[in-house]
């Protein structure tokens, strides 16, 4: 596997907060989305950077779309500002 190194540009930042919008086949509250989809997805290998169980990282940027199951998410805002 090849590895790309970037030595110019802004460094990757660790977000304190990320705001998502979501849409899918069933209506869910914010609490349901977080408990049923977001929290489990970012547990284990994808737990926050620096956690003992973290083995991978997700890089996010505003307007990024991704999917968890049959629910689509879009990154609306990050704090601090990222890419």
């Amino acid at each position: 596997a090849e590895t790309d190194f970037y030595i110019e540009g802004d460094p990757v930042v660790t977000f304190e907060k990320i705001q998502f919008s979501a849409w899918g086949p069933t209506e869910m509250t914010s609490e349901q989305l977080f408990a049923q989809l977001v929290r489990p997805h970012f547990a284990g290998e994808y737990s926050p950077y620096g956690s003992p169980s973290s083995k991978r990282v997700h890089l996010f940027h505003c307007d990024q779309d991704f999917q968890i199951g049959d629910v689509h998410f879009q990154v609306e805002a990050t704090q601090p500002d990222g890419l």
Side-chain angles (χ1 to χ4, degrees):
E2 291 187 28
T3 302
D4 293 325
F5 294 93
Y6 297 92
I7 55 175
E8 294 180 9
D10 294 332
V12 174
V13 297
T14 301
F15 296 127
E16 295 173 16
K17 296 180 182 181
I18 300 177
Q19 180 182 348
F20 300 111
S21 60
W23 61 96
T26 57
E27 190 171 330
M28 301 173 82
T29 66
S30 296
E31 291 80 14
Q32 290 171 320
L33 278 169
F34 188 79
Q36 295 175 22
L37 297 172
V38 175
R39 181 180 290 149
H41 182 75
F42 293 107
E45 287 187 350
Y46 288 111
S47 58
Y49 176 74
S51 299
S53 61
S54 177
K55 294 185 174 127
R56 300 179 180 197
V57 296
H58 273 278
L59 299 177
F60 290 107
H61 57 84
C62 285
D63 298 324
Q64 177 180 351
D65 295 320
F66 64 98
Q67 190 171 345
I68 302 174
D70 56 358
V71 177
H72 298 266
F73 290 83
Q74 182 171 351
V75 178
E76 299 292 342
T78 61
Q79 187 179 27
D81 290 338
L83 300 174

